[in-house]
């Protein structure tokens, strides 16, 4: 088979990062000194409005004072000492950091095992642990923001912690964890006649006086007579023992469902910009080289189609291996021109045909480009709909790859700004466009900014329903910094359970500099994203219902399915879910609970896997009521709280400006911390007392706004990035989100046996004569500086200097077991990296090596973005943020 580009796990890129910024003292952020600010106490503060105004004024005052002090003392070393002398001072070493999380969870017996007993606090999602399912379902699948919830909504409001239930129902398990048992339900299920819940490990089974078997429902306490003698007559009634069950549904149910076979429709943009970037060729090769990586290749089928401004081109081979090109030019009502058997090829048995097809598509694209005018836009929206149509028979994924904006057909861009590529063809309405662009720029970063995130376009609603019915998922890969209108097109992916991947870089710079090196960097990311999707155990045709004990109301479900969910029954259906996809229920209490009373949840999901098998997964989870404030705060789950707090705000990006989002989130943290101090009677203490379990909330939220292309920094192009990020936060797992917000950074030390030490993500901790390793949930990145002590090159790589390292990496030799120093240190580093690569369950994180040179001003992004404790994008440093929160909390308590 002909391979166009050689790709393998060892492919690495050389990147040179400017060192100057890191080396300068400017980056070493010293927290600003904090002056004692006295406030006039208003004795008639019963008026809420006055109260609010007062707080706002105080806020402004503090901001101003801190800012002035900060600029005055910018370069004075005494800063640090001033801070330490001050009674409210915050020492960066003393404040809480996520790097304090242990890499390994240990239970009270010092084992790496977490037993899922009711009321027990689960380990952090980014630590390594093994689950032993006892009472609740695995903490990988389900966890609540409060393990112990307040007895009523009033108390919950006071505490100010968001209350919700996180679900990642298809999360990967580690190899030591028991598989989810499969229970054959050919003879039927046992369900509660009152609430329809499935029999589970928390139901009680007993005989009554009439020798009837009675099953007491744990959700509604109804006593059900089990009449079906085929049920629970085995010695081992797994469904009454294990909290998580995969039922194999009875034949009658299977017959009702259409046959599902995973089909992958690959849609590639071949507009001019795409062609110039070598995009179509690259995508085709990614798939060609990945045919054996499909999750179930025997059962998987693939089709390749391309699109430009004129329409969609489908390809198929005839019996003598000649290519047929089928044009679909009806962009107003797109369809698939042939039935799936002519368009799709089996990824295992038809590899030869696929190889020939890809070669011929490449030739055709080149020819087509010569014959049509150089146009840099496409019909992405129409291509998606055509792709959906091609999948309607068997279901699967429509994967759209676009390099330019969609300007005709479905979901066309309403934003008129054009990224100045210097390549755009002249439009007749150029002037009008310019005016609109000016208007939009005025909206940006203003209170009315949300208008730019206009309401979702309804064009796609009909197709979303079609996808969910036919088990189709839509993924979008947006390559480059373009005005691809995600406002319109986000919906079709998020509401079908698909992903949005945005590779933000300036196409013009890359094309002009002819710099293959930097484009390779984005191509590599794209390659891994594609591989991850096709190789995972994705599931399709989701029908999910959450049942629970009376007394709880579901306010929202964040996860993309909001618009189609039936809130009364909490039922939703979605095209598919990945092992990493999650959703979160936002809850409120509408009843009073007694201490130790429980709320039981049961999530039941009907789904189909890549092997065309249907299952019904039942997940059970219980939390407990509690009436003491300390215990409720102690039961808080920071991982879930971070995700829920963010989802609750960004979901309304189209209703609130970014400035408002940040204010609102800060306000909530402050309220909660102030209540904690007040309710636990610590309000006399001058220190900022953070509730232990949620002490890291400020650092995560602070980091979040550094990732959002925030207010003063934001330009129009950032809108696509923001929507892509919103999609990421709403859909991703706790593991991905927490590591995205605060990656792990290790300092590689030679001296010690356990030579890698985790460090804070702040510039002052980065030194040019050290080596660093980071994990961000996707990649393991190794940073090698050109000022590294010579000893490092010798001891680890068996090389003399930085230059030799760079040469080695170009020849793909670095960190190979053979060339690596036989010295114990080099081998140990390799082992350490190997462990980090495997930390991610379900997929292997690839290693990237970054060379950081002082002399060369090349890409700096990766390392700079890591340092989330520093001041960034006009956002406060983490230390400064804590000082700020502390001051407001104090002023509220006075
Ligand atoms: Zn019931």
């Amino acid at each position: 088979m002909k391979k166009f580009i050689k790709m393998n796990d060892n492919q690495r890129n050389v990147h040179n990062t400017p060192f100057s910024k890191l080396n300068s003292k400017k980056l070493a952020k010293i927290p600003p000194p904090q002056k004692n600010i006295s406030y006039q106490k208003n004795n008639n503060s019963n008026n809420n409005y006055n109260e609010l105004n007062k707080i706002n004024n105080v806020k402004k005052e503090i901001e101003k004072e801190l800012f002035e002090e900060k600029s005055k003392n910018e370069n004075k070393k005494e800063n640090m000492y001033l801070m330490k002398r001050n009674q409210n001072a915050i020492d960066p070493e003393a404040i809480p950091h996520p790097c304090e999380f242990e890499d390994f969870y240990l239970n009270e017996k010092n084992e790496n095992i977490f037993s899922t007993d009711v009321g027990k606090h689960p380990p952090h999602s980014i630590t390594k642990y093994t689950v032993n399912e006892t009472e609740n379902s695995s903490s990988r699948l389900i966890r609540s923001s409060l393990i112990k919830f307040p007895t009523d909504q009033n108390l919950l409001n006071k505490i100010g912690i968001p209350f919700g239930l996180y679900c990642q129902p298809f999360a990967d398990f580690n190899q030591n964890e028991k598989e989810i048992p499969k229970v054959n339900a050919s003879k039927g299920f046992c369900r509660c006649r009152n609430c329809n819940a499935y029999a589970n490990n928390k139901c009680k089974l007993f005989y009554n006086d009439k020798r009837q078997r009675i099953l007491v429902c744990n959700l509604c306490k109804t006593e059900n007579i089990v009449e079906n003698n085929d049920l629970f007559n085995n010695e081992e009634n797994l469904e009454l023992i294990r909290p998580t069950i995969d039922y194999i549904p009875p034949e009658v149910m299977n017959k009702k469902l259409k046959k599902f076979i995973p089909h992958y429709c690959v849609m590639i943009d071949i507009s001019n910009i795409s062609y110039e970037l070598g995009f179509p060729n690259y995508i085709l090769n990614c798939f060609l080289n990945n045919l054996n990586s499909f999750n179930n290749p025997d059962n998987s089928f693939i089709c390749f189609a391309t699109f430009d401004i004129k329409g969609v081109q489908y390809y198929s081979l005839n019996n003598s291996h000649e290519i047929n090109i089928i044009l679909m030019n009806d962009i107003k009502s797109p369809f698939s021109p042939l039935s799936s058997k002519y368009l799709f090829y089996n990824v295992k048995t038809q590899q030869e045909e696929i190889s020939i097809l890809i070669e011929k598509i490449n030739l055709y694209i080149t020819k087509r480009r010569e014959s049509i005018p150089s146009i840099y836009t496409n019909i992405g929206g129409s291509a998606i709909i055509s792709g959906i149509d091609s999948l309607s028979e068997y279901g699967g994924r429509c994967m759209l790859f676009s390099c330019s904006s969609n300007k005709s057909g479905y979901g066309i861009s309403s934003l008129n700004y054009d990224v100045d590529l210097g390549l755009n063809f002249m439009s007749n309405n150029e002037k009008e466009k310019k005016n609109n662009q000016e208007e939009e720029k005025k909206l940006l970063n203003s209170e009315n900014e949300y208008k730019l995130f206009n309401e979702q376009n309804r064009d796609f609603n009909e197709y979303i329903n079609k996808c969910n019915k036919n088990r189709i998922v839509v993924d979008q890969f947006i390559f480059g910094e373009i005005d691809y209108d995600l406002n319109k097109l986000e919906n079709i992916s998020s509401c079908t359970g698909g992903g949005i991947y945005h590779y933000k870089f300036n196409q013009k710079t890359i094309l002009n500099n002819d710099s293959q090196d930097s484009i390779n960097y984005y191509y590599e990311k794209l390659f891994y994203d594609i591989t991850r999707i096709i190789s995972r155990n994705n599931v399709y045709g989701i029908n999910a219902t959450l049942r629970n004990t009376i007394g709880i109301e579901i306010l929202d479900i964040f996860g993309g399915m909001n618009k189609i969910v039936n809130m009364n029954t909490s039922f939703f259906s979605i095209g598919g879910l990945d092992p990493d996809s999650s959703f979160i229920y936002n809850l409120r209490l509408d009843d009073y609970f007694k201490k130790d009373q429980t709320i039981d949840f049961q999530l039941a999901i009907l789904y189909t896997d890549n092997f065309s098998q249907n299952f019904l997964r039942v997940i059970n989870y219980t939390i407990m009521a509690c009436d003491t404030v300390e215990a409720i705060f102690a039961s808080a789950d920071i991982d879930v709280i971070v995700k829920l707090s963010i989802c609750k705000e960004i979901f309304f990006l189209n209703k609130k400006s970014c400035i408002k989002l940040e204010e609102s989130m800060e306000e909530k943290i402050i309220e909660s911390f102030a209540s904690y101090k007040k309710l636990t009677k610590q309000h006399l203490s001058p220190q900022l007392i953070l509730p232990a379990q949620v002490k890291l909330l400020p650092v995560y939220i602070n980091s979040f706004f550094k990732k959002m292309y925030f207010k003063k920094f934001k330009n129009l192009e950032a809108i696509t990035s923001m929507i892509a990020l919103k999609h990421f936060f709403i859909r991703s797992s706790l593991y991905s989100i927490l590591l995205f917000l605060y990656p792990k950074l290790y300092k590689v030390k030679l001296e010690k046996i356990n030579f890698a030490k985790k460090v804070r993500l702040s510039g002052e901790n980065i030194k040019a004569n050290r080596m660093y390793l980071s994990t961000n949930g996707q990649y393991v990145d190794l940073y090698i500086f050109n000022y590294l002590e010579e000893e490092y090159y010798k001891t680890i790589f068996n090389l003399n200097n930085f230059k030799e390292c760079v040469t080695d990496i170009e020849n793909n030799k670095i960190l190979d077991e053979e060339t690596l120093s036989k010295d114990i240190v080099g081998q140990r580093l390799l082992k350490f990296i190997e462990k980090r690569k495997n930390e991610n369950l379900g997929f292997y994180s690839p290693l990237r090596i970054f060379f950081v040179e002082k002399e060369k001003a090349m890409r700096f992004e990766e390392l700079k973005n890591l340092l989330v404790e520093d001041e960034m994008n006009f956002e406060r440093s983490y230390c400064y943020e804590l000082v700020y929160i502390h001051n407001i909390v104090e002023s509220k308590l006075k």
Side-chain angles (χ1 to χ4, degrees):
M1 194 196 303
K2 196 181 168 192
K3 307 263 170 175
F4 294 85
I5 301 170
K6 191 176 159 275
M7 294 287 294
N8 57 47
D9 180 61
N10 292 323
Q11 196 191 14
R12 299 173 192 111
N13 292 315
V14 183
H15 299 295
N16 302 303
T17 307
F19 185 67
S20 53
K21 284 196 179 174
L22 269 183
N23 201 26
S24 76
K25 278 181 187 156
K26 271 181 201 160
L27 219 93
K29 282 283 169 284
I30 298 164
Q34 189 233 326
K35 268 180 74 178
N36 285 321
I37 308 161
S38 55
Y39 307 105
Q40 278 196 335
K41 207 173 173 186
N42 186 354
N43 289 328
N44 307 319
S45 61
N46 287 338
N47 188 323
N48 277 340
Y49 180 75
N50 279 343
E51 193 64 49
L52 196 76
N53 255 350
K54 198 181 86 187
I55 296 289
N56 280 339
N57 289 336
V58 168
K59 259 194 197 170
K60 277 180 199 152
E61 234 176 281
I62 294 171
E63 276 269 21
K64 214 177 120 200
E65 295 228 12
L66 284 177
F67 183 76
E68 279 170 4
E69 275 305 313
K70 191 173 164 276
S71 30
K72 250 189 256 165
N73 294 305
E74 193 72 271
N75 294 314
K76 282 188 190 166
K77 260 201 163 175
E78 304 91 71
N79 253 358
M80 192 64 143
Y81 302 109
L82 271 173
M83 275 298 294
K84 281 188 176 159
R85 270 205 305 270
N86 191 302
Q87 58 163 353
N88 294 328
I90 292 183
D91 168 11
E93 293 301 326
I95 59 179
H97 304 278
C99 49
E100 291 154 19
F101 284 153
E102 293 297 329
D103 280 341
F104 278 89
Y105 166 84
L106 288 176
N107 64 14
E108 40 311 326
K109 286 182 201 157
N110 257 2
E111 303 155 327
N112 184 225
I113 298 169
F114 171 66
S115 298
T116 58
D117 304 350
V118 171
K120 206 166 160 190
H121 206 284
H124 292 294
S125 53
I126 59 169
T127 60
K128 229 178 163 170
Y129 64 95
T130 297
V131 179
N132 171 32
E133 279 194 347
T134 52
E135 294 172 313
N136 278 336
S137 284
S138 171
S139 52
R140 300 191 194 282
L141 307 177
I142 194 162
R143 51 203 283 174
S144 165
S145 64
L146 291 167
I147 314 302
K148 290 184 179 151
F149 65 95
T151 42
D152 66 82
Q153 185 63 33
N154 270 337
L155 188 54
L156 181 59
N157 290 343
K158 271 189 203 153
I159 282 169
I161 292 180
F163 182 36
L165 187 68
Y166 168 85
C167 303
Q168 190 189 339
F170 300 97
D172 290 296
F173 284 12
N174 82 25
Q175 69 246 37
N176 300 322
E177 288 164 358
K178 280 190 202 161
E179 266 183 45
I180 295 175
K182 292 188 169 55
V183 171
N184 199 326
S186 56
K187 308 259 167 69
F189 301 100
C190 178
R191 301 178 72 170
C192 172
R193 67 185 151 86
N194 177 44
C195 72
N196 264 336
Y198 294 87
N200 63 75
N201 64 324
K202 284 163 192 149
C203 294
K204 283 195 186 80
L205 184 69
F206 67 91
Y207 284 92
N208 66 5
D209 310 343
K210 297 174 197 158
R211 296 294 299 158
Q212 283 171 316
R213 292 185 306 164
I214 304 292
L215 192 79
V216 186
C217 173
N218 57 321
L219 271 74
C220 69
K221 312 296 174 217
T222 303
E223 295 192 353
N224 297 282
I225 303 165
V226 184
E227 277 159 356
N228 186 341
N229 286 326
D230 293 320
L231 290 169
F232 315 131
N233 55 5
N234 305 322
E235 278 176 27
E236 197 185 31
N237 300 317
L238 281 173
E239 60 269 55
L240 295 183
I241 299 168
R242 300 281 299 271
T244 316
I245 298 287
D246 262 338
Y247 284 108
I248 301 165
E251 256 330 286
V252 231
M253 229 164 119
N254 276 332
K255 272 183 189 155
K256 272 194 218 158
L257 297 168
K258 226 163 77 173
K259 175 96 176 154
F260 170 84
I261 300 168
H263 280 53
Y264 298 81
C265 177
V266 179
M267 285 274 172
I268 310 168
D269 175 14
I270 53 162
S271 65
N272 272 27
I273 183 82
S274 170
Y275 188 85
E276 279 165 45
L277 288 167
F279 192 62
N281 182 51
Y282 187 83
I283 307 290
L284 289 169
N285 283 298
C286 274
F287 281 97
L288 186 60
N289 285 281
N290 255 321
L291 293 176
N292 293 322
S293 320
F294 278 76
N295 185 262
N296 176 16
D298 295 287
N299 199 33
S300 302
F301 293 81
I302 195 164
C303 147
F304 296 99
T306 57
F307 61 97
D308 48 27
I309 191 71
K310 294 213 161 157
V312 182
Q313 304 86 40
Y314 283 90
Y315 306 91
S316 90
L317 287 182
N318 64 16
N319 292 339
S320 47
H321 283 177
E322 278 156 4
I323 192 167
N324 288 325
I325 295 137
I326 309 104
L327 301 174
M328 197 295 296
N329 293 338
D330 191 354
I331 59 170
K332 289 265 160 61
S333 40
F335 58 94
S336 163
L338 281 179
S339 93
S340 56
K341 70 175 172 183
Y342 298 108
L343 294 174
F344 287 85
Y345 292 83
N346 184 285
V347 301
K348 191 169 179 192
T349 59
Q350 292 181 294
Q351 293 196 352
E352 203 194 325
E353 283 90 339
I354 294 173
S355 176
I356 296 169
L357 193 66
I358 284 180
E359 204 173 333
K360 297 200 166 162
I361 294 174
N362 260 324
L363 287 172
Y364 173 76
I365 297 169
T366 317
K367 231 173 72 196
R368 183 171 172 92
R369 187 182 172 247
E370 286 158 5
S371 67
I372 60 165
S374 46
I375 287 175
Y376 292 87
T377 54
N378 67 39
I379 48 138
S382 304
I384 289 175
I385 291 169
S386 172
I388 290 172
D389 193 36
S390 77
L391 294 165
S392 57
E393 205 174 338
Y394 294 109
R397 304 189 92 89
C398 173
M399 300 168 87
L400 182 102
F401 298 87
S402 182
C403 275
S404 46
S405 58
N406 46 305
K407 285 289 165 71
S408 297
Y410 270 85
I412 53 167
S413 185
S414 63
L415 296 178
N416 285 297
Y417 59 86
D418 269 312
V419 176
D420 177 26
L421 283 172
L423 304 159
N424 280 333
F425 67 106
M426 287 296 283
S427 140
N428 295 332
N429 306 325
E430 205 70 6
K431 244 189 177 167
E432 191 189 320
K433 257 188 180 180
K434 265 249 150 68
N435 288 337
N436 284 337
Q437 191 179 340
E438 289 307 310
E439 285 305 305
E440 277 155 4
K441 271 195 179 147
K442 273 182 209 157
L443 284 180
L444 199 73
N445 305 320
S446 78
E447 296 250 321
N448 291 326
E449 180 180 73
Y450 63 90
K451 287 182 183 163
L452 289 169
F453 301 88
N454 54 352
E455 285 292 334
Q456 305 280 356
N457 155 327
R458 287 174 195 276
D459 286 4
F460 287 102
N461 284 2
E462 172 197 338
Y463 296 96
I464 288 167
N465 292 335
K466 191 175 170 185
C467 285
N468 293 339
K469 211 176 109 211
N470 292 327
R471 291 177 273 196
I472 298 165
V473 169
V474 179
D475 298 306
Q476 294 175 66
F477 302 79
I478 306 150
F479 206 60
E481 199 176 82
I482 48 169
D483 59 337
Y484 187 86
D485 194 354
L486 262 185
N487 275 318
K488 294 279 174 66
L489 292 163
E490 185 222 349
N491 224 4
I492 188 77
S493 284
S494 59
C495 294
T496 56
I500 288 171
Y501 304 86
H502 184 209
Y503 309 85
K504 186 181 160 71
F505 63 89
N506 191 316
Q507 293 165 331
K508 189 183 174 185
T509 323
I510 281 185
L511 282 178
N512 288 355
N513 293 350
D514 197 28
S515 149
Q516 196 57 40
D517 251 9
S518 36
I519 199 164
N520 273 347
Y521 170 78
Y522 295 100
Y523 273 140
E524 191 188 47
K525 273 191 164 169
L526 182 63
F527 172 77
Y528 285 116
D529 285 335
I530 296 173
T531 313
R532 210 156 38 229
I533 292 176
I534 60 170
S535 62
R536 305 291 296 278
N537 200 357
N538 304 320
V539 298
Y540 296 86
I542 304 296
N543 285 290
T545 306
L546 181 73
R547 295 186 176 85
N548 54 263
T549 312
I550 284 177
I552 285 226
E553 190 191 338
I554 298 170
L555 298 174
D556 311 276
I557 310 176
F558 300 117
M561 54 284 286
N562 279 55
K563 293 128 207 154
I564 41 166
V565 70
N566 180 343
M567 281 310 211
N568 294 328
T569 58
S570 90
F571 168 85
F572 69 82
S573 86
I574 193 162
L577 286 174
D578 304 344
D580 296 327
S581 10
S582 73
F583 44 93
I584 196 159
Y585 295 90
N586 183 24
L587 306 170
R588 81 181 297 277
L589 296 162
D590 60 4
D591 210 342
Y592 292 88
F593 291 84
K594 280 185 205 132
K595 187 177 175 282
D596 293 335
Q597 210 178 327
T598 57
I599 293 179
D600 291 21
F601 293 99
Q602 182 176 79
L603 180 66
I605 302 184
L606 188 65
Y607 70 96
T608 312
D609 69 4
N610 276 330
F611 295 80
S612 307
Q613 303 259 326
N614 302 319
F615 293 102
L616 178 85
R617 179 163 293 189
V618 178
I619 292 170
N620 289 286
Y621 189 72
T622 303
I623 52 174
M624 234 189 258
C626 178
D627 56 4
T628 59
V629 174
E630 282 89 348
I632 297 165
F633 268 101
S635 83
D637 184 337
I638 179 74
D639 299 18
V640 181
I641 292 169
V642 168
K643 167 140 175 152
L644 183 56
S645 309
I646 293 174
C647 285
K648 275 174 88 168
E649 294 299 331
I650 56 174
F651 199 74
F652 302 104
L653 213 54
N654 57 356
K655 296 203 173 82
K656 268 190 207 168
S657 72
C658 262
I659 307 163
K660 286 264 184 297
L661 290 189
E662 188 172 22
E663 276 174 8
S664 159
M665 268 164 128
E666 255 169 12
E667 188 72 21
K668 281 172 188 159
I669 293 177
I670 289 164
E671 285 290 342
S672 176
F673 286 0
S675 309
Y676 179 73
K677 254 187 132 172
K678 206 154 117 193
L679 296 170
T680 58
K681 311 236 167 5
Q682 288 167 323
H683 54 282
L684 293 174
S685 160
Q687 256 123 35
L688 176 62
I689 298 167
L690 304 167
Q693 295 297 341
V694 283
K695 64 183 179 189
L696 293 170
L697 194 54
V699 68
Y700 281 118
I701 300 303
N702 185 243
S703 165
F704 169 74
F705 281 99
K706 285 169 181 163
K707 310 264 183 191
M708 277 292 272
Y709 303 94
F710 198 63
K711 47 185 179 185
K712 297 155 200 148
F713 190 70
K714 197 168 49 200
N715 50 20
L716 280 169
E717 293 93 74
I719 289 183
T720 310
S721 307
M722 285 179 71
I723 297 172
L725 260 179
K726 172 189 161 187
H727 179 87
F728 168 83
F729 276 105
I730 288 187
R731 178 180 188 261
S732 297
S733 66
L734 295 180
Y735 178 87
S736 314
I737 287 175
L738 291 194
L739 280 182
F740 177 79
L741 290 174
Y742 203 99
K744 290 185 192 175
L745 183 69
Y746 298 90
K747 186 191 318 191
V748 178
K749 284 179 164 181
L750 294 180
E751 316 78 61
K752 293 199 177 154
I753 300 288
N754 180 16
F755 67 102
K757 183 184 174 279
K758 263 189 280 175
V759 291
R760 290 193 287 119
L761 300 182
S762 154
E764 66 200 39
N765 289 322
I766 308 290
K767 304 218 163 44
N769 55 0
R770 287 283 181 272
M771 223 160 100
Y772 295 87
L773 189 79
S774 82
T775 54
N776 63 7
Q778 279 200 27
Y779 295 95
V780 177
D781 293 330
L782 183 67
Y783 298 93
I784 302 175
F785 290 87
N786 62 345
Y787 282 94
L788 199 65
E789 283 165 14
E790 252 176 49
E791 210 188 339
Y792 277 78
Y793 302 113
K794 282 215 180 78
T795 326
I796 294 179
F797 305 109
N798 217 4
L799 298 167
N800 293 314
N801 52 44
F802 183 73
K803 218 173 161 191
E804 284 187 22
C805 262
V806 180
T807 317
D808 257 29
I809 199 177
E810 277 163 4
N811 301 327
N812 235 339
K813 263 165 68 189
I814 206 163
L815 280 179
D816 268 3
E817 221 159 322
E818 284 170 25
T819 58
L820 206 65
S821 159
K822 291 283 172 280
D823 184 274
I824 192 154
V825 181
Q827 299 297 333
R828 224 165 52 205
L829 177 67
L830 202 66
K831 241 188 190 164
F832 188 78
I833 291 175
E834 217 41 44
K835 274 191 184 158
R836 303 283 88 71
K837 283 173 150 186
N838 281 307
E839 258 174 20
N840 227 333
L841 297 177
F843 68 93
Y844 196 70
S845 302
L847 173 73
R848 300 186 299 188
I849 301 180
F850 295 100
F851 285 99
V852 191
E853 276 183 87
K854 190 186 175 184
E855 295 79 10
K856 286 189 184 169
M858 284 273 289
R859 195 179 332 96
F860 186 53
E861 291 287 301
E862 293 289 324
L863 191 54
K864 200 179 69 185
N865 285 338
L866 260 185
L867 306 175
V868 294
E869 287 197 21
D870 291 340
E871 198 177 289
M872 206 190 274
N873 305 355
F874 297 92
E875 279 295 309
R876 299 183 194 110
S877 74
Y878 169 42
C879 274
Y880 184 18
E881 177 75 22
L882 273 189
V883 171
Y884 174 78
I885 289 176
H886 173 49
N887 281 304
I888 308 275
V889 167
E890 285 306 302
S891 69
K892 272 189 177 255
L893 291 177
K894 259 174 203 164

